[in-house]
Amino acid sequence: MVKPSYYKTKQQDMILKYLISKKNQHITVNMIAEFLEKQGTPVGVTTIYRHLDKLVEQGELQKYIIDGVTSACFQYIGDETHCHEHFHLKCENCGTLIHLECGYMKDLYTHVLNHHAFDINSFKTVFYGLCRSCSDKKNHTEAL
């Protein structure tokens, strides 16, 4: 795939380097804006969105819109295309989004397809609950 070229700014380079350094995480525009602010290079969220959209078009980022309520998040994938092959877990308390790459989920996918004639879109499938940290905090609070 030929990637279109366009003028790159220092801020765009900083955004890309930040995304690469966090490639195993989902990053929001607000997280990027906070990072740039701390680096002494504030950039407006509209500008950040425009740059991220270009990176998505070029295939360097994956964009996730999980529930239509929370902000979109992005993940650097570079030339990797495996990112669409898993489900997600979202903490209802802290908002953490976790990639769930588990053989049991493939079994679930196959079962639903074979026994219920339904092809699950794993890219858009999200299970909601509490992450370990929030669950531990909740259990600790309830024990008091």
Side-chain angles (χ1 to χ4, degrees):
M1 168 162 96
V2 176
K3 296 180 182 180
S5 62
Y6 59 94
Y7 179 73
K8 285 192 176 186
T9 65
K10 174 185 170 188
Q11 292 84 355
Q12 290 170 338
D13 274 347
M14 290 177 73
I15 291 170
L16 184 57
K17 286 177 183 175
Y18 176 72
L19 290 164
I20 291 170
S21 75
K22 307 283 186 184
K23 74 179 190 176
N24 293 321
Q25 300 174 31
H26 290 138
I27 304 299
T28 65
V29 169
N30 288 337
M31 292 167 75
I32 295 169
E34 287 175 18
F35 166 77
L36 293 171
E37 180 78 29
K38 288 178 184 174
Q39 300 300 311
T41 312
V43 175
V45 294
T46 303
T47 302
I48 295 170
Y49 269 115
R50 268 197 303 268
H51 182 57
L52 295 177
D53 285 342
K54 287 178 185 177
L55 292 171
V56 169
E57 287 175 22
Q58 293 174 1
E60 293 188 55
L61 290 185
Q62 182 69 54
K63 182 177 183 177
Y64 296 92
I65 301 174
I66 299 300
D67 55 17
V69 177
T70 54
S71 298
C73 55
F74 300 84
Q75 182 181 21
Y76 179 79
I77 57 172
D79 293 328
E80 299 177 33
T81 56
H82 72 278
C83 198
H84 68 280
E85 295 296 327
H86 60 263
F87 296 91
H88 295 90
L89 306 174
K90 183 166 183 175
C91 181
E92 295 174 300
N93 187 52
C94 69
T96 297
L97 190 62
I98 302 165
H99 293 270
L100 179 61
E101 297 186 49
C102 173
Y104 289 110
M105 297 313 296
K106 290 178 185 174
D107 293 343
L108 172 67
Y109 171 85
T110 302
H111 171 82
V112 171
L113 181 62
N114 293 338
H115 295 277
H116 304 282
F118 192 82
D119 189 3
I120 297 173
N121 181 343
S122 62
F123 176 70
K124 292 186 175 184
T125 302
V126 180
F127 295 95
Y128 292 87
L130 294 177
C131 68
R132 176 173 287 147
S133 177
C134 290
S135 182
D136 289 347
K137 287 176 189 173
K138 179 182 174 190
N139 291 336
H140 177 72
T141 303
E142 289 174 355
L144 297 177

